Amino acid sequence: MIRTITPTLARRIAITRQHLAGERLPANADGMLALFRDLGCVQVDPISAVARSHLLVLWSRLGNYDPADLGALLWKERRLFEYWAHCASIVLTEDYPIHNLLMRTHGKGDSMWSKRVREWIQANNGLLRQILRKVRRDGPVPARVIEEDGLNPRAWVSTGWTSGRNVSRMLDFLWMQGKIMVAGRSGLQKLWDLSERVLPDWTPRERLSEHAIVHRAAQRSLRALGVATPKQIEQHFIRGRYPNLKPTLAELEAGGCIERVHVEGQSGAWYVHADDVDLLDRLERDWAPRTALLSPFDNLICDRARTRTLFDFKYTVEIYTPEAKRQYGYYVLPILRGDRFIGRIDPTMDRANKRLTINAIYAEPDAPMDKQTARAIADAVESLAAFLGAHEITYTRRMPARWKIR
């Protein structure tokens, strides 16, 4: 028989598996590594109006931690590395065999994109060899020290910011193909080196089949989501890289690795991992909610369609929207309280003056307006300020009157 669960229970297992409820992991390197094992990946984004997105994702779950611990896991111990998951992300070195499939196949398929990449790389073989020579001789190096040196390469053409950026494009393609990796950072600048010099000796090197990778990655995706449809599984972790997912899910179900559930009010198949069935039982009896501010690119909400389905919360990043047309703000953090999104906060961090400015706070139509909620939001803002090193918090008047605590 297929188990029926309420939408509330579906939200709670999703939030708990994302470590946004229940007991916190320790705010140290061990807790960080455990968090990455459960999340699978954390998106990297350069915008730092508040803080870099990956730092906020960890803070929402761990609390006030030392970013140096993350740097050590990335650049010293090499337990983590930067690669493409559902987008540019930090991933686990122990998951290298999963990501290696994209490295082996990028630009080698029959799609128009693959053909275009392959033709451009072949036409610019001189630039490719020159970049590899520079990286091999001087790496780790930033992109700015790599020059075309009169090669007159065929320009990369696009409608976006990459048009004409031949060195950057070639670096990206070599990165996707696993030939080079990010070996460190100088500010926002990536430092490139040969993969063989970046990956530690203990990196697992087994060459998994496509089927084995989908078999493994689908379970990682489902566990990170808590409960999910096939489409949601496909949109998470290694987004878009789950060929033959439906028969794989059927195989996993037949083998007892995953179980089908019915979410009240939702159609179609939903799944939960067998290892999380006991968690479903516990959450029906015991729920330890928290209040959290989330990055615009947080793992819980990176699938916008799932966010609407599961939480009835529509979230759109307005970073690229002209200021006059923004509804909420430039870098808006959703407010998660318990198992509902109750509002949004528009903050800006002035690092020079160590000031966190709350430009606006918006409440959802059904948000609670009690003193406990107001205090929980204020506590979350104060926690964010402490993590950012702000000595002052400035509130504007653009916030619900009943959420004011001062």
Side-chain angles (χ1 to χ4, degrees), residues 15 53 71 107 157 182 235 247 351:
I15 292 165
S53 178
V157 178
V182 182
Q235 285 293 300
R351 290 172 182 78

PDB file of all heavy atoms in Angstrom, residues 15 53 71 107 157 182 235 247 351:
ATOM      1  N   ILE A  15      12.434  20.169   4.983  1.00  0.00           N
ATOM      2  CA  ILE A  15      13.186  21.150   5.772  1.00  0.00           C
ATOM      3  C   ILE A  15      14.183  20.459   6.694  1.00  0.00           C
ATOM      4  O   ILE A  15      15.327  20.904   6.846  1.00  0.00           O
ATOM      5  CB  ILE A  15      12.203  22.032   6.568  1.00  0.00           C
ATOM      6  CG1 ILE A  15      11.405  22.918   5.609  1.00  0.00           C
ATOM      7  CG2 ILE A  15      12.928  22.886   7.601  1.00  0.00           C
ATOM      8  CD1 ILE A  15      10.184  23.550   6.234  1.00  0.00           C
ATOM      9  N   SER A  53      26.730  33.654  -1.604  1.00  0.00           N
ATOM     10  CA  SER A  53      25.600  32.761  -1.376  1.00  0.00           C
ATOM     11  C   SER A  53      25.984  31.504  -0.611  1.00  0.00           C
ATOM     12  O   SER A  53      25.277  31.084   0.319  1.00  0.00           O
ATOM     13  CB  SER A  53      24.957  32.372  -2.716  1.00  0.00           C
ATOM     14  OG  SER A  53      23.892  31.469  -2.506  1.00  0.00           O
ATOM     15  N   GLY A  71      37.401  27.181   3.854  1.00  0.00           N
ATOM     16  CA  GLY A  71      38.602  27.351   3.042  1.00  0.00           C
ATOM     17  C   GLY A  71      39.566  26.193   3.196  1.00  0.00           C
ATOM     18  O   GLY A  71      40.167  25.725   2.220  1.00  0.00           O
ATOM     19  N   GLY A 107      30.647  18.392 -24.327  1.00  0.00           N
ATOM     20  CA  GLY A 107      31.018  18.794 -25.682  1.00  0.00           C
ATOM     21  C   GLY A 107      31.171  17.639 -26.650  1.00  0.00           C
ATOM     22  O   GLY A 107      31.644  17.836 -27.774  1.00  0.00           O
ATOM     23  N   VAL A 157      30.947  33.750 -29.682  1.00  0.00           N
ATOM     24  CA  VAL A 157      29.844  34.681 -29.882  1.00  0.00           C
ATOM     25  C   VAL A 157      28.638  34.209 -29.088  1.00  0.00           C
ATOM     26  O   VAL A 157      28.245  33.035 -29.165  1.00  0.00           O
ATOM     27  CB  VAL A 157      29.466  34.797 -31.371  1.00  0.00           C
ATOM     28  CG1 VAL A 157      28.274  35.745 -31.549  1.00  0.00           C
ATOM     29  CG2 VAL A 157      30.660  35.276 -32.179  1.00  0.00           C
ATOM     30  N   VAL A 182      39.630  24.709 -10.191  1.00  0.00           N
ATOM     31  CA  VAL A 182      39.881  25.871  -9.351  1.00  0.00           C
ATOM     32  C   VAL A 182      40.729  25.392  -8.175  1.00  0.00           C
ATOM     33  O   VAL A 182      40.283  24.580  -7.370  1.00  0.00           O
ATOM     34  CB  VAL A 182      38.569  26.504  -8.858  1.00  0.00           C
ATOM     35  CG1 VAL A 182      38.867  27.751  -8.021  1.00  0.00           C
ATOM     36  CG2 VAL A 182      37.653  26.841 -10.030  1.00  0.00           C
ATOM     37  N   GLN A 235      15.677  17.791 -11.164  1.00  0.00           N
ATOM     38  CA  GLN A 235      16.065  19.199 -11.102  1.00  0.00           C
ATOM     39  C   GLN A 235      17.079  19.494  -9.999  1.00  0.00           C
ATOM     40  O   GLN A 235      17.534  20.625  -9.876  1.00  0.00           O
ATOM     41  CB  GLN A 235      14.823  20.073 -10.894  1.00  0.00           C
ATOM     42  CG  GLN A 235      13.952  20.229 -12.126  1.00  0.00           C
ATOM     43  CD  GLN A 235      14.651  21.010 -13.220  1.00  0.00           C
ATOM     44  OE1 GLN A 235      15.032  22.155 -13.036  1.00  0.00           O
ATOM     45  NE2 GLN A 235      14.825  20.396 -14.370  1.00  0.00           N
ATOM     46  N   PRO A 247      12.874   4.612 -15.305  1.00  0.00           N
ATOM     47  CA  PRO A 247      13.156   3.191 -15.057  1.00  0.00           C
ATOM     48  C   PRO A 247      14.134   2.964 -13.909  1.00  0.00           C
ATOM     49  O   PRO A 247      14.048   1.961 -13.204  1.00  0.00           O
ATOM     50  CB  PRO A 247      13.723   2.687 -16.387  1.00  0.00           C
ATOM     51  CG  PRO A 247      14.067   3.891 -17.173  1.00  0.00           C
ATOM     52  CD  PRO A 247      13.163   4.974 -16.705  1.00  0.00           C
ATOM     53  N   ARG A 351      30.406  46.794   4.454  1.00  0.00           N
ATOM     54  CA  ARG A 351      31.565  46.214   5.134  1.00  0.00           C
ATOM     55  C   ARG A 351      32.525  47.278   5.660  1.00  0.00           C
ATOM     56  O   ARG A 351      33.140  47.096   6.706  1.00  0.00           O
ATOM     57  CB  ARG A 351      32.288  45.241   4.194  1.00  0.00           C
ATOM     58  CG  ARG A 351      31.480  43.984   3.951  1.00  0.00           C
ATOM     59  CD  ARG A 351      32.084  43.093   2.873  1.00  0.00           C
ATOM     60  NE  ARG A 351      31.234  41.934   2.670  1.00  0.00           N
ATOM     61  CZ  ARG A 351      30.112  41.952   1.973  1.00  0.00           C
ATOM     62  NH1 ARG A 351      29.716  43.087   1.398  1.00  0.00           N
ATOM     63  NH2 ARG A 351      29.374  40.870   1.843  1.00  0.00           N
TER      64      ARG A 351
END
